[in-house]
Amino acid sequence: MDTSKVPPPKSNINTLRSPFKFLSKPYAKTADIDIKKLLKHPEKVLIDVREANEIRETGQIPTSINIPLDIVAQVLHPDFDKNKFKTKYDWDKPHLDTEILLYCRRGKRSQNAAEILQKLGYRKVKVYLGSWDDWSKRE
């Protein structure tokens, strides 16, 4: 069989792109200096997507709220009741145009959460690249 005219196998598009380029509009990436500025801006939301037991063991960045990755899509869905959100997190539910900064322990879960939020329609999503590991070493 002559294989010279056989086209190469199609690559999976996910293997060709970095996780930061997975969506049509990649989410922003930020460093810790932006975190310190964010602490002074209550209109912006800092979300820790780690599990509650991880936070109990290590602590969290001041002013952040804990929404574990496995429920991000549910509680930040546009149809989720804003009063329930306020009751559960003692924070106003972010609007689709609210600046949201996500972090976890090393960055992978926060990247996943950013993709979820973009699919839900959030337009100002950022990922803290260093995440908790970086913050805890510097503070």
Side-chain angles (χ1 to χ4, degrees), residues 45-102:
V45 181
L46 179 60
I47 299 175
D48 186 333
V49 298
R50 296 178 295 158
E51 295 297 321
N53 63 325
E54 291 177 81
I55 293 171
R56 282 191 295 274
E57 291 172 11
T58 63
Q60 67 189 97
I61 297 173
T63 75
S64 66
I65 59 175
N66 176 230
I67 304 176
L69 177 61
D70 63 343
I71 63 169
V72 162
Q74 175 190 351
V75 301
L76 290 170
H77 192 280
D79 294 337
F80 189 81
D81 184 86
K82 64 182 178 181
N83 294 320
K84 286 182 183 178
F85 187 93
K86 176 79 171 177
T87 300
K88 183 171 177 111
Y89 298 104
D90 195 28
W91 200 277
D92 290 333
K93 183 179 173 200
H95 298 282
L96 296 178
D97 282 324
T98 301
E99 186 172 329
I100 299 174
L101 185 57
L102 302 160

Short mmCIF file of all heavy atoms in Angstrom, two decimals, residues 45-102:
data_model
loop_
_atom_site.label_atom_id
_atom_site.label_comp_id
_atom_site.label_asym_id
_atom_site.label_seq_id
_atom_site.Cartn_x
_atom_site.Cartn_y
_atom_site.Cartn_z
N VAL A 45 -13.57 40.40 43.05
CA VAL A 45 -13.77 39.19 43.84
C VAL A 45 -12.58 38.25 43.69
O VAL A 45 -12.17 37.92 42.57
CB VAL A 45 -15.06 38.46 43.42
CG1 VAL A 45 -15.28 37.22 44.26
CG2 VAL A 45 -16.26 39.39 43.51
N LEU A 46 -12.04 37.83 44.82
CA LEU A 46 -10.95 36.87 44.88
C LEU A 46 -11.54 35.55 45.36
O LEU A 46 -12.09 35.47 46.46
CB LEU A 46 -9.87 37.38 45.85
CG LEU A 46 -8.65 36.50 46.08
CD1 LEU A 46 -7.89 36.26 44.77
CD2 LEU A 46 -7.73 37.15 47.11
N ILE A 47 -11.44 34.52 44.52
CA ILE A 47 -12.06 33.23 44.83
C ILE A 47 -11.00 32.14 44.92
O ILE A 47 -10.21 31.94 44.00
CB ILE A 47 -13.11 32.84 43.77
CG1 ILE A 47 -14.23 33.89 43.74
CG2 ILE A 47 -13.68 31.45 44.05
CD1 ILE A 47 -15.26 33.66 42.65
N ASP A 48 -11.01 31.44 46.05
CA ASP A 48 -10.15 30.29 46.29
C ASP A 48 -10.97 29.05 45.93
O ASP A 48 -12.00 28.79 46.53
CB ASP A 48 -9.76 30.27 47.77
CG ASP A 48 -8.76 29.19 48.12
OD1 ASP A 48 -8.71 28.15 47.42
OD2 ASP A 48 -8.02 29.38 49.10
N VAL A 49 -10.51 28.28 44.94
CA VAL A 49 -11.29 27.12 44.48
C VAL A 49 -10.81 25.81 45.09
O VAL A 49 -11.21 24.73 44.65
CB VAL A 49 -11.32 27.03 42.93
CG1 VAL A 49 -12.00 28.25 42.34
CG2 VAL A 49 -9.94 26.85 42.34
N ARG A 50 -10.01 25.89 46.15
CA ARG A 50 -9.58 24.67 46.84
C ARG A 50 -10.71 24.14 47.72
O ARG A 50 -11.69 24.84 48.00
CB ARG A 50 -8.36 24.96 47.73
CG ARG A 50 -7.13 25.37 46.94
CD ARG A 50 -5.96 25.70 47.85
NE ARG A 50 -6.26 26.86 48.66
CZ ARG A 50 -5.67 27.16 49.81
NH1 ARG A 50 -4.73 26.36 50.31
NH2 ARG A 50 -5.99 28.25 50.47
N GLU A 51 -10.57 22.92 48.17
CA GLU A 51 -11.53 22.32 49.08
C GLU A 51 -11.39 22.94 50.48
O GLU A 51 -10.29 23.38 50.86
CB GLU A 51 -11.32 20.80 49.17
CG GLU A 51 -11.59 20.07 47.87
CD GLU A 51 -13.03 20.18 47.41
OE1 GLU A 51 -13.94 20.14 48.26
OE2 GLU A 51 -13.24 20.33 46.19
N ALA A 52 -12.47 22.96 51.22
CA ALA A 52 -12.48 23.58 52.55
C ALA A 52 -11.44 22.97 53.48
O ALA A 52 -10.80 23.69 54.26
CB ALA A 52 -13.87 23.47 53.17
N ASN A 53 -11.22 21.67 53.41
CA ASN A 53 -10.22 21.03 54.29
C ASN A 53 -8.80 21.52 53.98
O ASN A 53 -7.98 21.65 54.87
CB ASN A 53 -10.30 19.51 54.22
CG ASN A 53 -9.98 18.95 52.84
OD1 ASN A 53 -10.30 19.56 51.81
ND2 ASN A 53 -9.37 17.78 52.81
N GLU A 54 -8.52 21.84 52.72
CA GLU A 54 -7.20 22.40 52.37
C GLU A 54 -7.01 23.77 53.01
O GLU A 54 -5.93 24.09 53.50
CB GLU A 54 -7.06 22.54 50.86
CG GLU A 54 -6.98 21.24 50.10
CD GLU A 54 -6.92 21.49 48.62
OE1 GLU A 54 -5.81 21.79 48.12
OE2 GLU A 54 -7.97 21.40 47.95
N ILE A 55 -8.06 24.56 52.99
CA ILE A 55 -7.98 25.90 53.56
C ILE A 55 -7.82 25.84 55.08
O ILE A 55 -7.06 26.61 55.66
CB ILE A 55 -9.21 26.73 53.15
CG1 ILE A 55 -9.14 26.97 51.64
CG2 ILE A 55 -9.29 28.03 53.92
CD1 ILE A 55 -10.37 27.59 51.06
N ARG A 56 -8.51 24.89 55.71
CA ARG A 56 -8.35 24.74 57.16
C ARG A 56 -6.91 24.39 57.51
O ARG A 56 -6.38 24.83 58.53
CB ARG A 56 -9.30 23.66 57.69
CG ARG A 56 -10.74 24.12 57.84
CD ARG A 56 -11.58 23.11 58.61
NE ARG A 56 -11.72 21.84 57.92
CZ ARG A 56 -12.66 21.56 57.01
NH1 ARG A 56 -13.53 22.49 56.66
NH2 ARG A 56 -12.71 20.38 56.43
N GLU A 57 -6.24 23.63 56.66
CA GLU A 57 -4.86 23.22 56.91
C GLU A 57 -3.85 24.34 56.63
O GLU A 57 -2.84 24.43 57.31
CB GLU A 57 -4.51 22.01 56.05
CG GLU A 57 -5.23 20.74 56.45
CD GLU A 57 -4.99 19.61 55.45
OE1 GLU A 57 -4.11 19.74 54.56
OE2 GLU A 57 -5.69 18.59 55.57
N THR A 58 -4.11 25.17 55.63
CA THR A 58 -3.10 26.12 55.19
C THR A 58 -3.46 27.58 55.39
O THR A 58 -2.58 28.43 55.42
CB THR A 58 -2.83 25.95 53.68
OG1 THR A 58 -4.02 26.25 52.95
CG2 THR A 58 -2.36 24.55 53.36
N GLY A 59 -4.74 27.90 55.46
CA GLY A 59 -5.16 29.29 55.47
C GLY A 59 -5.51 29.74 54.07
O GLY A 59 -5.46 28.94 53.12
N GLN A 60 -5.87 31.01 53.94
CA GLN A 60 -6.21 31.54 52.62
C GLN A 60 -5.81 33.00 52.53
O GLN A 60 -5.50 33.64 53.52
CB GLN A 60 -7.71 31.34 52.34
CG GLN A 60 -8.65 32.16 53.21
CD GLN A 60 -10.09 31.76 53.03
OE1 GLN A 60 -10.60 30.98 53.82
NE2 GLN A 60 -10.75 32.28 52.03
N ILE A 61 -5.82 33.53 51.32
CA ILE A 61 -5.47 34.92 51.09
C ILE A 61 -6.58 35.79 51.68
O ILE A 61 -7.76 35.51 51.48
CB ILE A 61 -5.29 35.20 49.59
CG1 ILE A 61 -4.13 34.36 49.03
CG2 ILE A 61 -5.05 36.69 49.34
CD1 ILE A 61 -3.97 34.43 47.53
N PRO A 62 -6.21 36.85 52.41
CA PRO A 62 -7.23 37.72 53.01
C PRO A 62 -8.23 38.22 51.96
O PRO A 62 -7.87 38.49 50.82
CB PRO A 62 -6.42 38.89 53.58
CG PRO A 62 -5.06 38.32 53.79
CD PRO A 62 -4.86 37.30 52.71
N THR A 63 -9.46 38.33 52.34
CA THR A 63 -10.62 38.79 51.57
C THR A 63 -11.11 37.79 50.53
O THR A 63 -12.09 38.05 49.85
CB THR A 63 -10.42 40.17 50.88
OG1 THR A 63 -9.57 40.03 49.74
CG2 THR A 63 -9.89 41.21 51.84
N SER A 64 -10.45 36.62 50.41
CA SER A 64 -10.93 35.65 49.42
C SER A 64 -12.12 34.89 49.97
O SER A 64 -12.30 34.76 51.18
CB SER A 64 -9.82 34.68 49.03
OG SER A 64 -9.46 33.86 50.13
N ILE A 65 -12.94 34.41 49.04
CA ILE A 65 -14.04 33.53 49.43
C ILE A 65 -13.76 32.15 48.86
O ILE A 65 -13.13 32.02 47.81
CB ILE A 65 -15.42 34.07 48.97
CG1 ILE A 65 -15.50 34.25 47.46
CG2 ILE A 65 -15.76 35.35 49.69
CD1 ILE A 65 -16.88 34.66 46.97
N ASN A 66 -14.20 31.14 49.56
CA ASN A 66 -13.94 29.77 49.15
C ASN A 66 -15.14 29.20 48.41
O ASN A 66 -16.20 29.03 48.99
CB ASN A 66 -13.59 28.91 50.37
CG ASN A 66 -13.40 27.45 50.02
OD1 ASN A 66 -13.98 26.59 50.66
ND2 ASN A 66 -12.60 27.16 49.02
N ILE A 67 -14.95 28.94 47.12
CA ILE A 67 -15.95 28.24 46.31
C ILE A 67 -15.20 27.10 45.64
O ILE A 67 -14.49 27.31 44.65
CB ILE A 67 -16.60 29.16 45.26
CG1 ILE A 67 -17.22 30.39 45.93
CG2 ILE A 67 -17.65 28.37 44.47
CD1 ILE A 67 -17.80 31.40 44.94
N PRO A 68 -15.29 25.88 46.20
CA PRO A 68 -14.54 24.77 45.63
C PRO A 68 -14.88 24.55 44.15
O PRO A 68 -16.00 24.80 43.70
CB PRO A 68 -15.00 23.57 46.47
CG PRO A 68 -15.43 24.18 47.77
CD PRO A 68 -16.04 25.50 47.39
N LEU A 69 -13.89 24.08 43.41
CA LEU A 69 -14.03 23.89 41.97
C LEU A 69 -15.27 23.07 41.62
O LEU A 69 -15.96 23.39 40.65
CB LEU A 69 -12.78 23.21 41.41
CG LEU A 69 -12.80 22.88 39.92
CD1 LEU A 69 -12.97 24.13 39.07
CD2 LEU A 69 -11.56 22.11 39.52
N ASP A 70 -15.56 22.04 42.40
CA ASP A 70 -16.67 21.17 42.03
C ASP A 70 -18.05 21.82 42.13
O ASP A 70 -19.03 21.27 41.62
CB ASP A 70 -16.63 19.86 42.82
CG ASP A 70 -16.79 20.04 44.31
OD1 ASP A 70 -16.62 21.16 44.82
OD2 ASP A 70 -17.07 19.03 45.00
N ILE A 71 -18.14 23.02 42.74
CA ILE A 71 -19.44 23.72 42.76
C ILE A 71 -19.40 25.10 42.11
O ILE A 71 -20.39 25.82 42.12
CB ILE A 71 -20.01 23.82 44.20
CG1 ILE A 71 -19.11 24.65 45.10
CG2 ILE A 71 -20.29 22.44 44.77
CD1 ILE A 71 -19.76 25.00 46.43
N VAL A 72 -18.27 25.46 41.52
CA VAL A 72 -18.14 26.76 40.86
C VAL A 72 -19.24 26.97 39.82
O VAL A 72 -19.91 28.00 39.80
CB VAL A 72 -16.74 26.93 40.22
CG1 VAL A 72 -16.72 28.04 39.19
CG2 VAL A 72 -15.70 27.21 41.29
N ALA A 73 -19.44 25.98 38.96
CA ALA A 73 -20.44 26.12 37.89
C ALA A 73 -21.84 26.28 38.45
O ALA A 73 -22.66 27.03 37.90
CB ALA A 73 -20.39 24.91 36.96
N GLN A 74 -22.13 25.64 39.55
CA GLN A 74 -23.46 25.72 40.15
C GLN A 74 -23.71 27.07 40.80
O GLN A 74 -24.68 27.75 40.48
CB GLN A 74 -23.63 24.61 41.19
CG GLN A 74 -24.94 24.68 41.95
CD GLN A 74 -24.98 23.74 43.14
OE1 GLN A 74 -24.10 22.91 43.32
NE2 GLN A 74 -26.00 23.89 43.95
N VAL A 75 -22.85 27.48 41.72
CA VAL A 75 -23.13 28.70 42.50
C VAL A 75 -22.84 29.99 41.75
O VAL A 75 -23.36 31.04 42.11
CB VAL A 75 -22.44 28.70 43.88
CG1 VAL A 75 -22.87 27.51 44.70
CG2 VAL A 75 -20.95 28.76 43.75
N LEU A 76 -22.02 29.92 40.70
CA LEU A 76 -21.77 31.12 39.91
C LEU A 76 -22.54 31.12 38.60
O LEU A 76 -22.37 32.02 37.78
CB LEU A 76 -20.27 31.29 39.66
CG LEU A 76 -19.49 31.68 40.93
CD1 LEU A 76 -18.00 31.61 40.69
CD2 LEU A 76 -19.90 33.05 41.42
N HIS A 77 -23.41 30.14 38.43
CA HIS A 77 -24.28 30.12 37.26
C HIS A 77 -25.19 31.35 37.31
O HIS A 77 -25.66 31.73 38.38
CB HIS A 77 -25.13 28.84 37.25
CG HIS A 77 -25.83 28.63 35.95
ND1 HIS A 77 -26.99 29.29 35.63
CD2 HIS A 77 -25.50 27.86 34.89
CE1 HIS A 77 -27.37 28.91 34.42
NE2 HIS A 77 -26.48 28.05 33.95
N PRO A 78 -25.42 32.01 36.17
CA PRO A 78 -26.27 33.21 36.18
C PRO A 78 -27.65 33.00 36.79
O PRO A 78 -28.24 33.94 37.33
CB PRO A 78 -26.37 33.57 34.68
CG PRO A 78 -25.12 33.02 34.09
CD PRO A 78 -24.83 31.76 34.86
N ASP A 79 -28.17 31.77 36.75
CA ASP A 79 -29.49 31.50 37.31
C ASP A 79 -29.48 31.18 38.80
O ASP A 79 -30.55 31.06 39.41
CB ASP A 79 -30.14 30.33 36.56
CG ASP A 79 -30.44 30.67 35.11
OD1 ASP A 79 -30.57 31.87 34.79
OD2 ASP A 79 -30.53 29.73 34.30
N PHE A 80 -28.30 31.04 39.40
CA PHE A 80 -28.24 30.75 40.83
C PHE A 80 -28.71 31.98 41.61
O PHE A 80 -28.29 33.10 41.33
CB PHE A 80 -26.82 30.36 41.25
CG PHE A 80 -26.72 29.84 42.65
CD1 PHE A 80 -27.04 28.54 42.95
CD2 PHE A 80 -26.29 30.67 43.68
CE1 PHE A 80 -26.94 28.05 44.25
CE2 PHE A 80 -26.19 30.20 44.99
CZ PHE A 80 -26.51 28.88 45.28
N ASP A 81 -29.56 31.77 42.58
CA ASP A 81 -30.17 32.86 43.35
C ASP A 81 -29.13 33.70 44.08
O ASP A 81 -28.33 33.18 44.85
CB ASP A 81 -31.17 32.27 44.34
CG ASP A 81 -31.93 33.34 45.10
OD1 ASP A 81 -32.95 33.82 44.57
OD2 ASP A 81 -31.48 33.70 46.20
N LYS A 82 -29.16 35.01 43.83
CA LYS A 82 -28.16 35.90 44.44
C LYS A 82 -28.33 36.00 45.95
O LYS A 82 -27.35 36.20 46.67
CB LYS A 82 -28.20 37.29 43.79
CG LYS A 82 -29.48 38.04 43.98
CD LYS A 82 -29.44 39.37 43.26
CE LYS A 82 -30.76 40.10 43.44
NZ LYS A 82 -30.77 41.36 42.76
N ASN A 83 -29.54 35.82 46.47
CA ASN A 83 -29.75 35.86 47.92
C ASN A 83 -29.16 34.62 48.59
O ASN A 83 -28.58 34.72 49.68
CB ASN A 83 -31.23 36.00 48.25
CG ASN A 83 -31.78 37.34 47.79
OD1 ASN A 83 -31.12 38.37 47.92
ND2 ASN A 83 -32.97 37.32 47.22
N LYS A 84 -29.29 33.47 47.94
CA LYS A 84 -28.67 32.25 48.48
C LYS A 84 -27.15 32.39 48.48
O LYS A 84 -26.48 31.97 49.42
CB LYS A 84 -29.07 31.03 47.65
CG LYS A 84 -30.48 30.58 47.86
CD LYS A 84 -30.77 29.34 47.03
CE LYS A 84 -32.21 28.91 47.19
NZ LYS A 84 -32.52 27.73 46.35
N PHE A 85 -26.62 32.99 47.42
CA PHE A 85 -25.17 33.21 47.34
C PHE A 85 -24.73 34.11 48.50
O PHE A 85 -23.76 33.80 49.19
CB PHE A 85 -24.80 33.85 45.99
CG PHE A 85 -23.32 33.94 45.77
CD1 PHE A 85 -22.64 32.94 45.10
CD2 PHE A 85 -22.59 35.04 46.24
CE1 PHE A 85 -21.27 33.02 44.89
CE2 PHE A 85 -21.22 35.13 46.04
CZ PHE A 85 -20.56 34.12 45.37
N LYS A 86 -25.44 35.20 48.70
CA LYS A 86 -25.10 36.16 49.77
C LYS A 86 -25.15 35.48 51.13
O LYS A 86 -24.26 35.67 51.97
CB LYS A 86 -26.05 37.36 49.71
CG LYS A 86 -25.87 38.37 50.81
CD LYS A 86 -24.72 39.28 50.55
CE LYS A 86 -24.71 40.42 51.55
NZ LYS A 86 -23.58 41.29 51.39
N THR A 87 -26.16 34.67 51.36
CA THR A 87 -26.30 33.96 52.64
C THR A 87 -25.16 32.98 52.85
O THR A 87 -24.58 32.91 53.93
CB THR A 87 -27.65 33.21 52.68
OG1 THR A 87 -28.71 34.17 52.55
CG2 THR A 87 -27.82 32.45 53.98
N LYS A 88 -24.83 32.23 51.81
CA LYS A 88 -23.79 31.20 51.94
C LYS A 88 -22.39 31.78 52.06
O LYS A 88 -21.57 31.29 52.84
CB LYS A 88 -23.86 30.26 50.73
CG LYS A 88 -22.87 29.12 50.81
CD LYS A 88 -23.12 28.09 49.72
CE LYS A 88 -22.08 27.02 49.78
NZ LYS A 88 -22.56 25.75 50.20
N TYR A 89 -22.08 32.84 51.30
CA TYR A 89 -20.71 33.34 51.23
C TYR A 89 -20.49 34.71 51.88
O TYR A 89 -19.37 35.20 51.92
CB TYR A 89 -20.24 33.40 49.76
CG TYR A 89 -20.24 32.04 49.14
CD1 TYR A 89 -21.24 31.66 48.24
CD2 TYR A 89 -19.27 31.10 49.47
CE1 TYR A 89 -21.25 30.39 47.68
CE2 TYR A 89 -19.28 29.83 48.92
CZ TYR A 89 -20.28 29.48 48.03
OH TYR A 89 -20.29 28.23 47.49
N ASP A 90 -21.57 35.32 52.36
CA ASP A 90 -21.50 36.65 52.97
C ASP A 90 -20.82 37.64 52.01
O ASP A 90 -19.99 38.46 52.41
CB ASP A 90 -20.77 36.59 54.31
CG ASP A 90 -20.99 37.85 55.14
OD1 ASP A 90 -22.06 38.49 54.98
OD2 ASP A 90 -20.10 38.21 55.93
N TRP A 91 -21.17 37.53 50.75
CA TRP A 91 -20.60 38.35 49.69
C TRP A 91 -21.64 38.45 48.59
O TRP A 91 -22.35 37.47 48.32
CB TRP A 91 -19.35 37.65 49.15
CG TRP A 91 -18.40 38.54 48.41
CD1 TRP A 91 -18.49 38.91 47.10
CD2 TRP A 91 -17.23 39.17 48.90
NE1 TRP A 91 -17.45 39.71 46.76
CE2 TRP A 91 -16.66 39.88 47.85
CE3 TRP A 91 -16.60 39.19 50.15
CZ2 TRP A 91 -15.49 40.62 47.99
CZ3 TRP A 91 -15.45 39.91 50.28
CH2 TRP A 91 -14.89 40.63 49.22
N ASP A 92 -21.73 39.60 47.95
CA ASP A 92 -22.65 39.72 46.83
C ASP A 92 -22.19 38.84 45.68
O ASP A 92 -20.99 38.76 45.39
CB ASP A 92 -22.75 41.17 46.34
CG ASP A 92 -23.46 42.08 47.33
OD1 ASP A 92 -24.30 41.57 48.11
OD2 ASP A 92 -23.18 43.29 47.34
N LYS A 93 -23.15 38.20 45.04
CA LYS A 93 -22.81 37.36 43.90
C LYS A 93 -22.25 38.23 42.78
O LYS A 93 -22.80 39.27 42.45
CB LYS A 93 -24.06 36.63 43.41
CG LYS A 93 -23.78 35.67 42.29
CD LYS A 93 -25.05 34.97 41.85
CE LYS A 93 -24.76 34.16 40.60
NZ LYS A 93 -25.97 33.86 39.88
N PRO A 94 -21.13 37.82 42.20
CA PRO A 94 -20.54 38.62 41.12
C PRO A 94 -21.46 38.69 39.89
O PRO A 94 -22.16 37.74 39.57
CB PRO A 94 -19.26 37.86 40.76
CG PRO A 94 -19.06 36.85 41.81
CD PRO A 94 -20.34 36.64 42.51
N HIS A 95 -21.42 39.84 39.23
CA HIS A 95 -22.12 40.00 37.96
C HIS A 95 -21.21 39.50 36.85
O HIS A 95 -20.01 39.29 37.07
CB HIS A 95 -22.45 41.48 37.72
CG HIS A 95 -23.36 42.06 38.76
ND1 HIS A 95 -24.71 41.83 38.78
CD2 HIS A 95 -23.08 42.84 39.83
CE1 HIS A 95 -25.23 42.45 39.81
NE2 HIS A 95 -24.27 43.06 40.48
N LEU A 96 -21.73 39.35 35.67
CA LEU A 96 -20.92 38.85 34.55
C LEU A 96 -19.77 39.79 34.20
O LEU A 96 -18.79 39.36 33.61
CB LEU A 96 -21.80 38.60 33.33
CG LEU A 96 -22.86 37.50 33.50
CD1 LEU A 96 -23.70 37.38 32.24
CD2 LEU A 96 -22.23 36.16 33.86
N ASP A 97 -19.87 41.07 34.59
CA ASP A 97 -18.80 42.03 34.33
C ASP A 97 -17.91 42.31 35.54
O ASP A 97 -17.03 43.16 35.47
CB ASP A 97 -19.38 43.36 33.83
CG ASP A 97 -19.78 43.28 32.37
OD1 ASP A 97 -19.09 42.60 31.60
OD2 ASP A 97 -20.79 43.89 32.01
N THR A 98 -18.12 41.60 36.63
CA THR A 98 -17.28 41.76 37.82
C THR A 98 -15.91 41.16 37.54
O THR A 98 -15.79 40.09 36.95
CB THR A 98 -17.92 41.04 39.03
OG1 THR A 98 -19.21 41.58 39.28
CG2 THR A 98 -17.06 41.17 40.27
N GLU A 99 -14.86 41.85 38.00
CA GLU A 99 -13.52 41.28 37.87
C GLU A 99 -13.37 40.18 38.92
O GLU A 99 -13.56 40.41 40.11
CB GLU A 99 -12.44 42.34 38.06
CG GLU A 99 -11.06 41.79 37.80
CD GLU A 99 -9.98 42.85 37.77
OE1 GLU A 99 -10.28 43.99 37.39
OE2 GLU A 99 -8.85 42.53 38.16
N ILE A 100 -13.05 38.99 38.45
CA ILE A 100 -12.89 37.82 39.31
C ILE A 100 -11.48 37.29 39.16
O ILE A 100 -11.01 37.06 38.05
CB ILE A 100 -13.90 36.71 38.94
CG1 ILE A 100 -15.33 37.22 39.12
CG2 ILE A 100 -13.65 35.46 39.78
CD1 ILE A 100 -16.39 36.25 38.64
N LEU A 101 -10.82 37.10 40.29
CA LEU A 101 -9.48 36.53 40.31
C LEU A 101 -9.55 35.20 41.03
O LEU A 101 -10.03 35.12 42.17
CB LEU A 101 -8.51 37.48 41.00
CG LEU A 101 -7.06 37.09 40.98
CD1 LEU A 101 -6.54 36.89 39.57
CD2 LEU A 101 -6.23 38.16 41.66
N LEU A 102 -9.08 34.16 40.38
CA LEU A 102 -9.16 32.80 40.92
C LEU A 102 -7.79 32.29 41.33
O LEU A 102 -6.79 32.60 40.69
CB LEU A 102 -9.72 31.86 39.84
CG LEU A 102 -11.09 32.22 39.29
CD1 LEU A 102 -11.31 31.55 37.95
CD2 LEU A 102 -12.17 31.82 40.28
#
